[in-house]
Amino acid sequence: MIPTNYNINFIFFLTLLITTSSSSSTTSSSEIISRFQEYLRINTAQPNPNYYEAVDFILKQANSLSLESQVIEFVENKPLILLKWPGQNPNLRSILLNSHTDVVPVESHKWIYHPFDAQIDSHGNIFARGSQDMKCVGMQYLEAIRKLKDSDEEIGGRDGAEKLAESDVFKQMNVAFVLDEGRPSSDDKYQVFYAERSPMWLVIKATGAPGHGAKLYDNSATENLWKSIEIIKQYRATQFDLLKAGLKTPGEVVSVNVVFLKAGIETPAGFVRNMQPSEATAGIDIRVPPTIDQEAFEKRIAEEWAPASRNMTFEFKEKFSVLDKFGKPALTVANSSNLWWILQQGIPALGFSPIANTPSLAHDHNEFLNQGEYLKGVEIYSSIIKAYASNSGNGTTEVTKDEL
């Protein structure tokens, strides 16, 4: 038996946070895949995710593994589930495995298979929303625990993660480091992420005098918005060029994407086609790396992207700081003296999803994960959990790094 010295807390991040588990009897690969399909078939798509069906499923899995469970609602109707596997030494710090159960919306008619049927094709690909992002990771945590228990070895959104991190519950968890989701790799090399780009969800609005659709005049709302979008496109192109040239990785550039445009005068019969509107709006998804000067970037937005001189205004619907609570860039330094440190609480963290040889289809149509890749990921998480939960408390582990 391998002694369990660390406590392991499993948290599933819904938009909130959750934790899960699975059953404790020896099971076949087909049973592992069947449980994954069952989870994928629960429709947790925003904006109306079926949280409580997912909660029931997760608690059922936790009970079958004899994991301690706790359901918390810091925000009404947004449950957060904590699962805990206590270690032999409760005085040592815990390992936190984080995952979320909600998924992005779907356009079902654009999928090969229904996005919540979890259909398996002839190649063994499981098609479902959440198969990559990130119901796979949550269930792989649980199946890894099942595997470790079966072999008789002893050894976790703002309305959820942020409130948990600020709570007394989180302090009592005494977390040493966090393992969170990563993203698929298109080749056979797995990717590990030591920092997270911070969202800055921006809405810019242009105003101008309304007028006849046949009239040409300066400073209309749509003209002012077009000028801003052209400037934004130029900035986006400079970032994309750095990425395409291999000078920066995806996590080092600022991503800027227009996600919605809104203008026009709407009536029950549709949009008025002979009148220029007095307002035009664009929504922009911006993700900034922790190395960026966020104040200087916001100044660019105010002066170039949405200047008041062009009848423009802007607001952030969400904005997260790139700094931790100590005022330092929120990233994990990967060296021998400090393997992990991130999050706003300054707690070490890494992002990792054991998905290789797979196109990244998170938020895309026909999202899928091959069942062989999924099963391999369970084995990988088993090794990771076994290695990191076997610290004897004196700085040494009772498992070699070859386990990883």
Side-chain angles (χ1 to χ4, degrees):
M1 293 177 62
I2 296 174
T4 310
N5 296 310
Y6 275 111
N7 292 314
I8 303 178
N9 297 284
F10 298 81
I11 296 185
F12 272 60
F13 188 173
L14 282 165
T15 289
L16 30 16
L17 246 82
I18 277 195
T19 319
T20 65
S21 187
S22 61
S23 54
S24 59
S25 60
T26 301
T27 54
S28 66
S29 295
S30 62
E31 290 174 305
I32 293 173
I33 295 299
S34 179
R35 281 190 291 271
F36 184 36
Q37 289 177 289
E38 184 180 355
Y39 187 31
L40 290 170
R41 287 170 181 149
I42 301 172
N43 188 340
T44 55
Q46 293 289 353
N48 298 303
N50 193 338
Y51 285 143
Y52 292 101
E53 185 178 349
V55 167
D56 289 343
F57 172 82
I58 291 164
L59 291 179
K60 181 179 74 172
Q61 302 301 311
N63 290 337
S64 69
L65 279 175
S66 300
L67 298 179
E68 298 177 14
S69 62
Q70 181 181 8
V71 180
I72 306 168
E73 290 196 18
F74 293 110
V75 174
E76 187 177 1
N77 296 322
K78 292 188 174 181
L80 179 152
I81 305 174
L82 301 179
L83 302 185
K84 183 178 180 181
W85 188 1
Q88 291 181 351
N89 185 349
N91 296 317
L92 292 179
R93 300 182 70 183
S94 65
I95 299 164
L96 180 65
L97 306 179
N98 184 44
S99 177
H100 62 83
T101 197
D102 64 330
V103 297
V104 296
V106 296
E107 295 176 89
S108 299
H109 63 285
K110 296 182 179 179
W111 285 60
I112 299 173
Y113 304 104
H114 191 280
F116 294 105
D117 280 353
Q119 180 76 33
I120 301 178
D121 71 4
S122 59
H123 302 288
N125 296 323
I126 307 169
F127 285 82
R129 176 61 87 217
S131 56
Q132 291 186 16
D133 183 16
M134 71 170 295
K135 287 183 173 179
C136 58
V137 170
M139 281 305 294
Q140 284 170 323
Y141 291 156
L142 297 176
E143 297 297 348
I145 295 299
R146 184 192 315 279
K147 175 179 171 57
L148 293 170
K149 281 179 170 280
D150 283 350
S151 59
D152 199 27
E153 296 173 342
E154 296 183 27
I155 329 277
R158 282 206 158 178
D159 286 343
E162 183 179 45
K163 286 182 170 54
L164 176 71
E166 295 170 350
S167 71
D168 290 337
V169 173
F170 189 74
K171 294 182 179 67
Q172 292 167 6
M173 289 166 61
N174 194 24
V175 175
F177 88 96
V178 178
L179 191 61
D180 204 347
E181 66 178 309
R183 88 171 153 222
S185 171
S186 59
D187 57 27
D188 59 359
K189 297 181 178 63
Y190 294 104
Q191 301 180 74
V192 180
F193 298 88
Y194 57 87
E196 182 73 40
R197 290 186 301 175
S198 297
M200 297 175 68
W201 290 327
L202 177 70
V203 173
I204 60 175
K205 179 188 287 187
T207 59
H212 197 285
K215 182 180 179 181
L216 295 175
Y217 59 95
D218 290 323
N219 295 318
S220 69
T222 52
E223 181 187 25
N224 287 333
L225 185 63
W226 286 339
K227 289 177 181 177
S228 289
I229 289 176
E230 284 300 320
I231 294 169
I232 292 168
K233 282 176 58 181
Q234 291 171 12
Y235 179 84
R236 182 184 186 275
T238 62
Q239 296 295 301
F240 202 11
D241 286 344
L242 292 172
L243 183 62
K244 289 186 286 188
L247 298 176
K248 288 192 175 183
T249 65
E252 294 174 319
V253 297
V254 178
S255 65
V256 181
N257 291 296
V258 176
V259 293
F260 73 79
L261 295 169
K262 183 180 179 182
I265 299 167
E266 197 170 6
T267 71
F271 284 97
V272 175
R273 290 183 287 275
N274 64 349
M275 183 174 179
Q276 299 183 53
S278 60
E279 291 185 358
T281 304
I284 305 162
D285 186 336
I286 305 169
R287 309 293 174 109
V288 295
T291 52
I292 197 171
D293 183 335
Q294 215 164 3
E295 288 188 8
F297 187 75
E298 289 184 37
K299 185 177 180 182
R300 174 192 291 270
I301 292 171
E303 294 179 353
E304 300 178 18
W305 295 12
S309 60
R310 212 165 55 237
N311 297 326
M312 305 286 296
T313 58
F314 69 93
E315 66 172 321
F316 291 105
K317 294 299 184 180
E318 290 278 6
K319 182 177 70 173
F320 294 82
S321 175
V322 298
L323 306 177
D324 64 18
K325 69 176 184 179
F326 304 110
K328 297 184 178 183
L331 52 83
T332 296
V333 180
N335 58 38
S336 59
S337 63
N338 186 7
L339 292 178
W340 311 280
W341 97 285
I342 196 177
L343 304 179
Q344 297 304 313
Q345 300 300 313
I347 292 174
L350 292 175
F352 173 66
S353 293
I355 304 175
N357 301 306
T358 303
S360 181
L361 295 170
H363 300 199
D364 204 342
H365 307 313
N366 299 313
E367 180 183 351
F368 74 85
L369 180 60
N370 187 272
Q371 56 186 346
E373 200 64 37
Y374 176 78
L375 293 169
K376 190 190 302 181
V378 172
E379 299 292 329
I380 291 171
Y381 276 132
S382 295
S383 295
I384 291 173
I385 294 170
K386 179 179 174 182
Y388 286 113
S390 300
N391 191 295
S392 63
N394 58 10
T396 63
T397 63
E398 301 180 30
V399 180
T400 68
K401 289 188 178 179
D402 291 339
E403 297 270 5
L404 299 176

